[in-house]
Structure formats: structure tokens, C-alpha cells
Amino acid sequence: MHWSFGVYFEAKVAAECAGFMERAGAEDLILSAWEGDCFAGSLIVDGHDPEAAGGEAHLRWFIVARPGGGLGARMMTEAMAWLDARRMPCFLKTFRGLDAARALYERHGFALTEETEAETWGTTVSEQRFERSAR
């Protein structure tokens, strides 16, 4: 599904990615998947997001080019094992309407903790925050 977020969203993601890359380190997990020369997916666990509570990781930029093929589930499993090995709690932010993604998050121990109308994405959506306790 296409959400028509536009340039505002693209600029926001670009700025946040640039900020992350400036501070990326050993306390972060960067997963990317490729099919030959074509991007297939990514998932970032930001272990030191300035907006996160102390010791809490932020799951970010989780996207797969072709949903439904199992790549997202494999990336999530790897990320959760990485978090569990470090006993790190984690949160993510998304928005209502991404039902397959929500089901994946919930299968991996995330629970919806907050839902508010927001314009974080450049248009009004029901923004959701999911949290997962340290294991």
C-alpha cells in the first residue's frame, strides 16, 4: 500500500538516518538484505537514540521490498536475538493500518503502549508506539 507521505516524510527519514550514521557504533545493529544488486530489506536497532530512555533501543527503518516472503520475519528474529543477548528493552514507532507488520511485531513480543493522532509523518495518522521488555 502506498501512503502518499511525500517529500516531508522523505526529508525526515533522510535527516534521521544521517544523524544515526554520525553516531552509529558497536551498540547498534544494522541489517540489510540484497538480492543481487537489488535492495531487499533493512532493519536498524538504534542502541543509543537520544530520544530513548536510558538503556532502551529503538527499532527503526524496518522495511522489506517484497512483503510476505519471510525476509521480514527472519530479520526480526535476528534482531530480537541480538537484543536478548544484550538484555535490552526496545521500542518502535509506526502507525495504524500496517496490520501485517503489527502482527509480526506482536509475534516477537512487542505490545502496543500508546496511540495518538500525530503529524510526525507529514500527514495526520494514528501513530503507535510498541514496546518490548528486556529478555
PDB file of all heavy atoms in Angstrom, residues 76-94:
ATOM      1  N   MET A  76      13.563  -9.860  11.781  1.00  0.00           N
ATOM      2  CA  MET A  76      13.069  -9.612  13.135  1.00  0.00           C
ATOM      3  C   MET A  76      13.626 -10.645  14.117  1.00  0.00           C
ATOM      4  O   MET A  76      14.025 -10.286  15.230  1.00  0.00           O
ATOM      5  CB  MET A  76      11.553  -9.715  13.156  1.00  0.00           C
ATOM      6  CG  MET A  76      10.756  -8.455  13.204  1.00  0.00           C
ATOM      7  SD  MET A  76      11.325  -7.118  14.159  1.00  0.00           S
ATOM      8  CE  MET A  76       9.894  -6.892  15.114  1.00  0.00           C
ATOM      9  N   THR A  77      13.656 -11.898  13.722  1.00  0.00           N
ATOM     10  CA  THR A  77      14.186 -12.949  14.592  1.00  0.00           C
ATOM     11  C   THR A  77      15.642 -12.668  14.936  1.00  0.00           C
ATOM     12  O   THR A  77      16.051 -12.776  16.102  1.00  0.00           O
ATOM     13  CB  THR A  77      14.034 -14.332  13.925  1.00  0.00           C
ATOM     14  OG1 THR A  77      12.629 -14.587  13.742  1.00  0.00           O
ATOM     15  CG2 THR A  77      14.657 -15.430  14.751  1.00  0.00           C
ATOM     16  N   GLU A  78      16.427 -12.289  13.948  1.00  0.00           N
ATOM     17  CA  GLU A  78      17.834 -11.975  14.188  1.00  0.00           C
ATOM     18  C   GLU A  78      17.983 -10.764  15.110  1.00  0.00           C
ATOM     19  O   GLU A  78      18.789 -10.764  16.045  1.00  0.00           O
ATOM     20  CB  GLU A  78      18.566 -11.729  12.873  1.00  0.00           C
ATOM     21  CG  GLU A  78      20.046 -11.502  13.066  1.00  0.00           C
ATOM     22  CD  GLU A  78      20.835 -11.425  11.776  1.00  0.00           C
ATOM     23  OE1 GLU A  78      20.350 -11.890  10.727  1.00  0.00           O
ATOM     24  OE2 GLU A  78      21.969 -10.893  11.821  1.00  0.00           O
ATOM     25  N   ALA A  79      17.185  -9.741  14.881  1.00  0.00           N
ATOM     26  CA  ALA A  79      17.254  -8.539  15.715  1.00  0.00           C
ATOM     27  C   ALA A  79      16.840  -8.836  17.156  1.00  0.00           C
ATOM     28  O   ALA A  79      17.474  -8.350  18.102  1.00  0.00           O
ATOM     29  CB  ALA A  79      16.381  -7.437  15.123  1.00  0.00           C
ATOM     30  N   MET A  80      15.803  -9.647  17.345  1.00  0.00           N
ATOM     31  CA  MET A  80      15.355  -9.956  18.703  1.00  0.00           C
ATOM     32  C   MET A  80      16.389 -10.802  19.443  1.00  0.00           C
ATOM     33  O   MET A  80      16.620 -10.612  20.645  1.00  0.00           O
ATOM     34  CB  MET A  80      13.993 -10.662  18.686  1.00  0.00           C
ATOM     35  CG  MET A  80      12.854  -9.807  18.120  1.00  0.00           C
ATOM     36  SD  MET A  80      12.643  -8.164  18.840  1.00  0.00           S
ATOM     37  CE  MET A  80      13.423  -7.095  17.619  1.00  0.00           C
ATOM     38  N   ALA A  81      17.053 -11.704  18.741  1.00  0.00           N
ATOM     39  CA  ALA A  81      18.125 -12.488  19.368  1.00  0.00           C
ATOM     40  C   ALA A  81      19.268 -11.565  19.792  1.00  0.00           C
ATOM     41  O   ALA A  81      19.854 -11.740  20.873  1.00  0.00           O
ATOM     42  CB  ALA A  81      18.620 -13.566  18.401  1.00  0.00           C
ATOM     43  N   TRP A  82      19.585 -10.586  18.956  1.00  0.00           N
ATOM     44  CA  TRP A  82      20.641  -9.618  19.269  1.00  0.00           C
ATOM     45  C   TRP A  82      20.263  -8.823  20.516  1.00  0.00           C
ATOM     46  O   TRP A  82      21.075  -8.642  21.423  1.00  0.00           O
ATOM     47  CB  TRP A  82      20.852  -8.710  18.059  1.00  0.00           C
ATOM     48  CG  TRP A  82      21.990  -7.765  18.158  1.00  0.00           C
ATOM     49  CD1 TRP A  82      23.292  -7.995  17.798  1.00  0.00           C
ATOM     50  CD2 TRP A  82      21.953  -6.407  18.623  1.00  0.00           C
ATOM     51  NE1 TRP A  82      24.047  -6.866  18.019  1.00  0.00           N
ATOM     52  CE2 TRP A  82      23.260  -5.881  18.529  1.00  0.00           C
ATOM     53  CE3 TRP A  82      20.940  -5.586  19.106  1.00  0.00           C
ATOM     54  CZ2 TRP A  82      23.573  -4.579  18.891  1.00  0.00           C
ATOM     55  CZ3 TRP A  82      21.253  -4.285  19.475  1.00  0.00           C
ATOM     56  CH2 TRP A  82      22.561  -3.803  19.372  1.00  0.00           C
ATOM     57  N   LEU A  83      19.018  -8.343  20.579  1.00  0.00           N
ATOM     58  CA  LEU A  83      18.540  -7.606  21.752  1.00  0.00           C
ATOM     59  C   LEU A  83      18.554  -8.482  23.003  1.00  0.00           C
ATOM     60  O   LEU A  83      18.971  -8.045  24.073  1.00  0.00           O
ATOM     61  CB  LEU A  83      17.126  -7.074  21.515  1.00  0.00           C
ATOM     62  CG  LEU A  83      16.999  -5.880  20.584  1.00  0.00           C
ATOM     63  CD1 LEU A  83      15.550  -5.699  20.148  1.00  0.00           C
ATOM     64  CD2 LEU A  83      17.527  -4.616  21.243  1.00  0.00           C
ATOM     65  N   ASP A  84      18.081  -9.720  22.864  1.00  0.00           N
ATOM     66  CA  ASP A  84      18.015 -10.626  24.007  1.00  0.00           C
ATOM     67  C   ASP A  84      19.402 -10.923  24.565  1.00  0.00           C
ATOM     68  O   ASP A  84      19.584 -11.011  25.777  1.00  0.00           O
ATOM     69  CB  ASP A  84      17.305 -11.928  23.629  1.00  0.00           C
ATOM     70  CG  ASP A  84      15.825 -11.720  23.346  1.00  0.00           C
ATOM     71  OD1 ASP A  84      15.286 -10.633  23.672  1.00  0.00           O
ATOM     72  OD2 ASP A  84      15.201 -12.646  22.791  1.00  0.00           O
ATOM     73  N   ALA A  85      20.386 -11.069  23.683  1.00  0.00           N
ATOM     74  CA  ALA A  85      21.755 -11.337  24.131  1.00  0.00           C
ATOM     75  C   ALA A  85      22.296 -10.170  24.956  1.00  0.00           C
ATOM     76  O   ALA A  85      23.175 -10.356  25.808  1.00  0.00           O
ATOM     77  CB  ALA A  85      22.661 -11.605  22.927  1.00  0.00           C
ATOM     78  N   ARG A  86      21.758  -8.997  24.736  1.00  0.00           N
ATOM     79  CA  ARG A  86      22.188  -7.795  25.457  1.00  0.00           C
ATOM     80  C   ARG A  86      21.211  -7.384  26.558  1.00  0.00           C
ATOM     81  O   ARG A  86      21.411  -6.394  27.228  1.00  0.00           O
ATOM     82  CB  ARG A  86      22.365  -6.635  24.462  1.00  0.00           C
ATOM     83  CG  ARG A  86      23.601  -6.834  23.619  1.00  0.00           C
ATOM     84  CD  ARG A  86      23.515  -6.114  22.287  1.00  0.00           C
ATOM     85  NE  ARG A  86      24.702  -6.412  21.501  1.00  0.00           N
ATOM     86  CZ  ARG A  86      24.903  -7.550  20.829  1.00  0.00           C
ATOM     87  NH1 ARG A  86      23.989  -8.502  20.854  1.00  0.00           N
ATOM     88  NH2 ARG A  86      26.009  -7.749  20.147  1.00  0.00           N
ATOM     89  N   ARG A  87      20.131  -8.157  26.677  1.00  0.00           N
ATOM     90  CA  ARG A  87      19.074  -7.868  27.660  1.00  0.00           C
ATOM     91  C   ARG A  87      18.579  -6.415  27.542  1.00  0.00           C
ATOM     92  O   ARG A  87      18.415  -5.720  28.535  1.00  0.00           O
ATOM     93  CB  ARG A  87      19.542  -8.176  29.066  1.00  0.00           C
ATOM     94  CG  ARG A  87      19.751  -9.649  29.308  1.00  0.00           C
ATOM     95  CD  ARG A  87      19.988  -9.923  30.778  1.00  0.00           C
ATOM     96  NE  ARG A  87      19.763 -11.318  31.108  1.00  0.00           N
ATOM     97  CZ  ARG A  87      20.680 -12.276  31.029  1.00  0.00           C
ATOM     98  NH1 ARG A  87      21.889 -11.970  30.594  1.00  0.00           N
ATOM     99  NH2 ARG A  87      20.391 -13.506  31.361  1.00  0.00           N
ATOM    100  N   MET A  88      18.342  -5.995  26.310  1.00  0.00           N
ATOM    101  CA  MET A  88      17.916  -4.615  26.045  1.00  0.00           C
ATOM    102  C   MET A  88      16.422  -4.548  25.770  1.00  0.00           C
ATOM    103  O   MET A  88      15.925  -5.283  24.920  1.00  0.00           O
ATOM    104  CB  MET A  88      18.643  -4.044  24.822  1.00  0.00           C
ATOM    105  CG  MET A  88      20.114  -3.792  25.012  1.00  0.00           C
ATOM    106  SD  MET A  88      20.877  -3.162  23.487  1.00  0.00           S
ATOM    107  CE  MET A  88      20.331  -1.461  23.562  1.00  0.00           C
ATOM    108  N   PRO A  89      15.716  -3.650  26.453  1.00  0.00           N
ATOM    109  CA  PRO A  89      14.337  -3.367  26.047  1.00  0.00           C
ATOM    110  C   PRO A  89      14.367  -2.576  24.743  1.00  0.00           C
ATOM    111  O   PRO A  89      15.383  -1.969  24.397  1.00  0.00           O
ATOM    112  CB  PRO A  89      13.790  -2.527  27.201  1.00  0.00           C
ATOM    113  CG  PRO A  89      14.993  -1.874  27.786  1.00  0.00           C
ATOM    114  CD  PRO A  89      16.144  -2.828  27.583  1.00  0.00           C
ATOM    115  N   CYS A  90      13.260  -2.585  24.040  1.00  0.00           N
ATOM    116  CA  CYS A  90      13.225  -1.937  22.726  1.00  0.00           C
ATOM    117  C   CYS A  90      11.844  -1.342  22.485  1.00  0.00           C
ATOM    118  O   CYS A  90      10.842  -1.843  22.999  1.00  0.00           O
ATOM    119  CB  CYS A  90      13.550  -2.978  21.659  1.00  0.00           C
ATOM    120  SG  CYS A  90      13.744  -2.321  19.982  1.00  0.00           S
ATOM    121  N   PHE A  91      11.800  -0.281  21.689  1.00  0.00           N
ATOM    122  CA  PHE A  91      10.526   0.289  21.257  1.00  0.00           C
ATOM    123  C   PHE A  91      10.600   0.577  19.766  1.00  0.00           C
ATOM    124  O   PHE A  91      11.676   0.610  19.168  1.00  0.00           O
ATOM    125  CB  PHE A  91      10.186   1.557  22.049  1.00  0.00           C
ATOM    126  CG  PHE A  91      10.955   2.776  21.636  1.00  0.00           C
ATOM    127  CD1 PHE A  91      10.408   3.687  20.748  1.00  0.00           C
ATOM    128  CD2 PHE A  91      12.229   3.017  22.123  1.00  0.00           C
ATOM    129  CE1 PHE A  91      11.119   4.823  20.370  1.00  0.00           C
ATOM    130  CE2 PHE A  91      12.949   4.146  21.749  1.00  0.00           C
ATOM    131  CZ  PHE A  91      12.388   5.053  20.872  1.00  0.00           C
ATOM    132  N   LEU A  92       9.448   0.764  19.177  1.00  0.00           N
ATOM    133  CA  LEU A  92       9.349   1.185  17.789  1.00  0.00           C
ATOM    134  C   LEU A  92       8.132   2.074  17.659  1.00  0.00           C
ATOM    135  O   LEU A  92       7.208   2.002  18.471  1.00  0.00           O
ATOM    136  CB  LEU A  92       9.274  -0.004  16.830  1.00  0.00           C
ATOM    137  CG  LEU A  92       8.048  -0.918  16.918  1.00  0.00           C
ATOM    138  CD1 LEU A  92       6.939  -0.440  16.000  1.00  0.00           C
ATOM    139  CD2 LEU A  92       8.431  -2.337  16.572  1.00  0.00           C
ATOM    140  N   LYS A  93       8.152   2.909  16.642  1.00  0.00           N
ATOM    141  CA  LYS A  93       7.005   3.755  16.335  1.00  0.00           C
ATOM    142  C   LYS A  93       6.544   3.446  14.920  1.00  0.00           C
ATOM    143  O   LYS A  93       7.358   3.284  14.008  1.00  0.00           O
ATOM    144  CB  LYS A  93       7.367   5.231  16.465  1.00  0.00           C
ATOM    145  CG  LYS A  93       7.604   5.645  17.902  1.00  0.00           C
ATOM    146  CD  LYS A  93       7.842   7.133  17.999  1.00  0.00           C
ATOM    147  CE  LYS A  93       8.017   7.549  19.449  1.00  0.00           C
ATOM    148  NZ  LYS A  93       8.223   9.009  19.551  1.00  0.00           N
ATOM    149  N   THR A  94       5.242   3.375  14.761  1.00  0.00           N
ATOM    150  CA  THR A  94       4.640   3.090  13.471  1.00  0.00           C
ATOM    151  C   THR A  94       3.291   3.798  13.440  1.00  0.00           C
ATOM    152  O   THR A  94       3.056   4.721  14.205  1.00  0.00           O
ATOM    153  CB  THR A  94       4.531   1.566  13.238  1.00  0.00           C
ATOM    154  OG1 THR A  94       4.089   1.313  11.909  1.00  0.00           O
ATOM    155  CG2 THR A  94       3.627   0.882  14.246  1.00  0.00           C
TER     156      THR A  94
END
